[in-house]
Amino acid sequence: IPQPPFEARLNLAQYLFSSARYQEAEAAFGALAEIAPDETRQTLRLKQGEALARLKMNEEAIGVFESVVREAENPRDVQKGLFWLARIAVRLNDDSRLMGLEKQLAENGPRSPERIRAMYYVADALDDAGDFEGASIAYRNIINTFPSSRTAKEAAWRMGWMAYRNGNFDEAIRVFL
């Protein structure tokens, strides 16, 4: 029995993923990546890695995303791979790796949405570590670099919350109002 056409298999993989059937989706995207044309291979690998990340199979996902970053020719694929590596670094509390990945995103996609989120992850990591001055600088950098983004609004809120938590109520009021 012949295999269904590539497009039908791709539709099935996307359906499995959107239905949160990540284990099956991971296998489907991986199989498709093996036979895909060069221009779509890394996009399929990204979806495979994302399925692995959603399954919390962190080491396997890291391997997939690192290969995408190494092999992708499309800058957007590289940025997405770096973003997912940063997201996993947050999950694993690997702050030094997170900082390095954000720097790589700054070089590979300084205005990309993936970089904005990675910057936010860094600011949160600094806040969680008790480095309130560093976190404040990082949040302010997001606000100044991407002023109209949703992440800038989140960063401003976090700055106000950080001020409130630290008893700096006048600053919290200034930020929240």
Side-chain angles (χ1 to χ4, degrees):
I1 299 175
Q3 285 282 345
F6 182 85
E7 287 301 317
R9 293 172 66 192
L10 177 59
N11 289 339
L12 175 61
Q14 291 168 334
Y15 172 77
L16 292 168
F17 188 89
S18 67
S19 300
R21 293 170 59 181
Y22 300 121
Q23 194 165 9
E24 295 163 283
E26 183 274 328
F29 282 119
L32 287 171
E34 297 295 321
I35 62 168
D38 288 344
E39 64 273 5
T40 60
R41 181 170 294 123
Q42 299 310 326
T43 302
L44 295 169
R45 298 277 292 149
L46 283 167
K47 290 304 279 185
Q48 178 187 24
E50 187 178 344
L52 287 165
R54 291 178 185 268
L55 290 166
K56 295 187 174 38
M57 298 175 70
N58 297 318
E59 295 307 316
E60 294 87 344
I62 288 169
V64 170
F65 292 129
E66 285 178 343
S67 77
V68 169
V69 169
R70 224 179 13 258
E71 298 168 14
E73 295 178 15
N74 181 339
R76 291 293 298 138
D77 289 341
V78 172
Q79 293 159 13
K80 290 175 184 177
L82 289 169
F83 166 77
W84 276 101
L85 288 168
R87 198 163 161 176
I88 293 169
V90 169
R91 181 182 291 165
L92 298 175
N93 294 316
D94 190 345
D95 293 346
S96 62
R97 181 172 172 122
L98 172 62
M99 308 273 178
L101 290 162
E102 191 280 322
K103 284 186 171 112
Q104 283 183 270
L105 272 164
E107 295 166 6
N108 287 287
R111 309 256 341 137
S112 70
E114 292 81 12
R115 172 150 187 251
I116 298 169
R117 291 309 299 174
M119 290 171 70
Y120 190 81
Y121 293 159
V122 167
D124 277 353
L126 292 167
D127 184 10
D128 291 345
D131 181 357
F132 303 120
E133 184 177 334
S136 183
I137 291 167
Y139 287 129
R140 197 172 316 284
N141 190 24
I142 294 167
I143 294 165
N144 292 337
T145 307
F146 305 100
S148 61
S149 71
R150 179 173 162 233
T151 306
K153 291 176 180 69
E154 292 173 24
W157 188 91
R158 287 294 297 246
M159 285 181 66
W161 181 244
M162 195 169 47
Y164 177 82
R165 283 190 341 250
N166 292 316
N168 189 347
F169 301 119
D170 291 337
E171 175 67 9
I173 291 170
R174 188 189 67 72
V175 170
F176 284 134
L177 297 177

